[in-house]
Amino acid sequence: MSARSADSGPTMTVALVKAGRTKIRYPAEPVGDDGNRITVRAPWAAPGVRDFGFVRFEPGDVFTEHYWRDRWYAVKEVRTGEGRLKGWYCDITRPAVLRGTELVVEDLDLDLWVSADGSSVLRLDEDEFEASGLAGRDPSAADAAVRALDELEDLARAGGLAGLVS
């Protein structure tokens, strides 16, 4: 990665909202916005290491995050600080909303992990999704979330997510 000047830092904030409350906010560098897909780049934003067993997110990791205004998911390409691809972490979300320089994304609990070589495709947090009660509160959103997870899993198993985010 190239060095940045002191005044060329991130100019956006990503706000991840869950159950009506902000879960995390972090600075991100805008990469692109084609009117539908917004792409940002950000370092691992949580403190310390998060070891999921199938992947570790740690300081130095870089996330290139793709959000859509019309799709119910976000796809995050995860690389080490040296540039080695770890894989793709996908959040099932409501379509993203850009408010000025703040990108607001509502997390709907479901996630998908796809390893760099595509050999591992894991559906995650289906129990949390069920426990969230979204199906009772907003059945159409719950249906859209499940369809989005199915779509991403199908894409991942059919050849990976690289084509979706290139």
Side-chain angles (χ1 to χ4, degrees):
M1 300 185 111
S2 61
R4 295 187 207 166
S5 66
D7 61 315
S8 67
T11 59
M12 293 183 74
T13 300
V14 176
L16 186 62
V17 176
K18 190 170 182 178
R21 297 182 7 201
T22 301
K23 181 177 170 182
I24 189 170
R25 296 170 62 90
Y26 53 92
E29 173 189 350
V31 174
D33 183 349
D34 66 6
N36 187 33
R37 183 175 78 184
I38 301 164
T39 302
V40 300
R41 187 168 294 118
W44 169 240
V49 173
R50 179 104 187 256
D51 189 340
F52 291 94
F54 51 86
V55 67
R56 287 171 49 103
F57 296 156
E58 50 203 336
D61 286 350
V62 178
F63 288 66
T64 302
E65 305 176 356
H66 305 273
Y67 300 93
W68 285 265
R69 291 176 172 96
D70 68 345
R71 297 184 190 182
W72 287 69
Y73 53 76
V75 176
K76 301 171 182 182
E77 179 186 272
V78 184
R79 293 184 177 271
T80 66
E82 295 77 37
R84 181 183 56 81
L85 179 64
K86 289 185 173 186
W88 293 269
Y89 195 91
C90 307
D91 287 319
I92 303 303
T93 67
R94 290 185 189 267
V97 176
L98 184 60
R99 296 183 183 133
T101 60
E102 182 176 62
L103 184 59
V104 180
V105 184
E106 184 179 348
D107 185 350
L108 298 178
D109 292 307
L110 294 171
D111 300 296
L112 186 78
W113 169 253
V114 181
S115 63
D117 65 2
S119 65
S120 178
V121 178
L122 304 173
R123 293 172 73 108
L124 306 170
D125 303 328
E126 290 176 298
D127 55 338
E128 289 180 28
F129 177 73
E130 185 67 32
S132 75
L134 184 64
R137 285 190 323 277
D138 191 343
S140 63
D143 288 345
V146 171
R147 282 192 313 273
L149 181 62
D150 291 343
E151 176 186 340
L152 282 173
E153 182 180 16
D154 289 347
L155 286 168
R157 293 190 186 283
L161 299 178
L164 179 65
V165 297
S166 58

